[in-house]
Amino acid sequence: MQTVNVQSRMARVQAPIIPVIGQMIRETPGTISLGQGVVHYGPPREAIDAASDALGDMVTHEYGDGAGSPALIELVERKLRAENGIDVSRGSRVMITAGANMAFMHAVLAITEPGDEIILPVPFYFNHDMAIEMAGCNTVRVATDARYQLDLDALRRAITPRTRAIVTVTPNNPSGAVFSEASLRAVNALCADHGIFHVADEVYEYFTYDGVRHFSPASLPGAEAHTISMYSLSKAYGFAGWRIGYVVYPTALASAMAKIQDTVIVCPTMISQVAAIAAMTVGRQYSSPHVAELAEIRHIVRSQLSALAPLASAPAADGAFYVLLKVETRRSPLAIAERLIREHRVAVTPGPAFGMDEGCSFRVAYGALQKATVAEGIGRLVSGLRAILDRP
Ligand SMILES: Cc1ncc(COP(=O)(O)O)c(C=O)c1O
């Protein structure tokens, strides 16, 4: 008998860090997780009721339209027009996906050939890097500035004949940075000039603070031909387990996107779409009080973390629910993260998962905290880091 060959394209793909941290958390009961990027609340009551009613409807149990249910697509198109300034009648289409991760994978497969390059500003969202490498393409990492804002000259210099897209994630995971409208306009124009795509991940569009506004590059005149924008209900509606997101893409990609969708999922899950219609009918107002509470939590997080200076620091960030903390040490971020869990019962995500290979950094996720737990969680992080860095 021959040993089966398990070599595959997956060998070059980074392993997901969340399950690694998750396992350590399970082995250390009582750990407060500042690890996974989740919110503490669930979906609107209306979504749960609608899903429950749909159980008795035969349509729920059948295949549906590949691109998504017409009622949900219509609702999404209305929302895009009203909130994002995106008019799909100008030459784009909407597809409902099982979350924004699937939307990104679809986009990469639709716009590349093996060996092509996609530019990710660093820090990046790890699943974007993984999707690009899985597709047989290469992630081209481009540094951001000290506040994790885009460096336009560096992005321009990174473009080669094999470049197919520049990706922007704003508000950003893992830094919390919100990219300025001017820089997003410049990236979109740069992409148009070079005949490449601008892939805009807008999953955290509702999560901005201190009056800072989110901007959708696909709203720009002429952007529809080269802009792919993706959104998710996971954070805004506490919907992560229902797996619903959507992507707006140029009509020229319709055939490619349909092939991928049909092969990967056939159609989005019917019952989740029913719940999504009910959630989006409640609308943005559902997340508003939660975002207001997160704004207060963010202040507490920032002021507690400032006690770590000069040992550790993070530039102020205006969005999402993350802080990217830079620690002044040459020690391994993964080893420190492990000790934080096992000795101090607090979990954070090490920076290398986000492409932060130089120095020592950690993403601190505060979306799952409530006012009652935030002081305890960040307190453990501050005292844990001090203790670990004092003692080799
Ligand atoms: C930047 C970013 N994009 C996409 C996703 C995935 O969202 P979804 O649950 O819709 O797949 C996440 C989830 O953390 C994210 O942070």
Side-chain angles (χ1 to χ4, degrees):
M1 252 202 2
Q2 295 259 348
T3 314
V4 69
N5 180 1
V6 293
Q7 269 307 312
S8 81
R9 65 184 63 215
M10 293 302 152
R12 61 196 296 233
V13 177
Q14 69 158 305
I17 187 72
I18 297 296
V20 175
I21 298 293
Q23 180 59 27
M24 291 182 202
I25 293 174
R26 277 191 295 282
E27 289 165 6
T28 319
T31 298
I32 294 180
S33 178
L34 310 174
Q36 201 169 10
V38 288
V39 291
H40 68 76
Y41 52 90
R45 182 77 245 162
E46 290 84 340
I48 295 166
D49 290 346
S52 156
D53 291 347
L55 283 172
D57 185 348
M58 196 51 207
V59 172
T60 305
H61 311 293
E62 295 167 350
Y63 291 126
D65 287 359
S69 90
L72 182 54
I73 291 179
E74 196 189 318
L75 204 53
V76 165
E77 288 178 354
R78 243 189 289 145
K79 174 264 180 189
L80 288 168
R81 207 172 303 120
E83 297 181 9
N84 304 90
I86 298 172
D87 179 357
V88 297
S89 70
R90 286 197 322 219
S92 26
R93 297 256 175 106
V94 168
M95 178 177 276
I96 310 298
T97 54
N101 265 13
M102 181 183 268
F104 189 82
M105 189 81 232
H106 279 17
V108 171
L109 291 173
I111 65 175
T112 60
E113 294 191 57
D116 281 344
E117 297 169 356
I118 294 189
I119 295 175
L120 296 187
V122 176
F124 52 62
Y125 171 52
F126 41 74
N127 286 127
H128 288 171
D129 174 54
M130 292 166 74
I132 292 165
E133 300 287 333
M134 263 178 217
C137 298
N138 299 308
T139 297
V140 173
R141 300 173 177 211
V142 172
T144 50
D145 71 14
R147 299 175 65 80
Y148 304 120
Q149 290 288 329
L150 298 172
D151 178 340
L152 264 301
D153 287 334
L155 289 172
R156 189 176 297 112
R157 284 196 303 273
I159 296 173
T160 75
R162 297 248 32 187
T163 306
R164 302 296 294 132
I166 299 176
V167 178
T168 54
V169 179
T170 181
N172 191 263
N173 177 6
S175 72
V178 178
F179 300 154
S180 68
E181 179 175 331
S183 67
L184 291 167
R185 282 176 179 270
V187 169
N188 201 267
L190 186 62
C191 292
D193 287 350
H194 287 82
I196 62 176
F197 291 93
H198 181 178
V199 177
D201 178 315
E202 304 184 29
V203 163
Y204 298 95
E205 60 176 333
Y206 291 168
F207 297 85
T208 60
Y209 310 107
D210 292 344
V212 168
R213 281 169 56 94
H214 170 72
F215 177 73
S216 297
S219 64
L220 294 167
E224 59 280 352
H226 69 283
T227 307
I228 305 175
S229 319
M230 47 206 58
Y231 304 85
S232 170
L233 273 68
S234 295
K235 325 283 170 179
Y237 294 99
F239 226 71
W242 291 89
R243 308 307 304 131
I244 293 286
Y246 51 96
V247 53
V248 188
Y249 63 92
T251 303
L253 294 176
S255 159
M257 290 290 281
K259 289 179 195 173
I260 301 162
Q261 179 90 332
D262 188 65
T263 303
V264 176
I265 196 168
V266 183
C267 70
T269 306
M270 296 300 272
I271 196 156
S272 295
Q273 293 188 86
V274 171
I277 290 170
M280 288 188 70
T281 303
V282 175
R284 179 176 191 158
Q285 58 164 349
Y286 181 69
S287 64
S288 303
H290 297 302
V291 175
E293 191 189 357
L294 279 171
E296 289 178 41
I297 290 171
R298 168 175 168 268
H299 274 298
I300 302 170
V301 170
R302 289 212 58 78
S303 79
Q304 275 188 276
L305 286 179
S306 66
L308 278 170
L311 196 62
S313 61
D318 299 316
F321 32 75
Y322 305 112
V323 172
L324 192 54
L325 193 63
K326 253 195 184 147
V327 180
E328 300 302 327
T329 176
R330 295 169 99 75
R331 302 199 0 221
S332 141
L334 184 58
I336 293 178
E338 178 160 8
R339 284 187 61 186
L340 280 169
I341 297 172
R342 300 206 194 282
E343 297 168 17
H344 302 277
R345 291 183 302 130
V346 63
V348 289
T349 309
F354 310 99
M356 298 288 284
D357 289 336
E358 275 169 34
C360 179
S361 57
F362 301 94
R363 184 189 74 175
V364 180
Y366 57 85
L369 297 179
Q370 285 175 287
K371 272 196 242 158
T373 45
V374 64
E376 175 67 20
I378 303 293
R380 286 186 196 179
L381 177 62
V382 169
S383 59
L385 273 178
R386 280 207 185 111
I388 292 168
L389 296 171
D390 258 8
R391 260 183 297 119

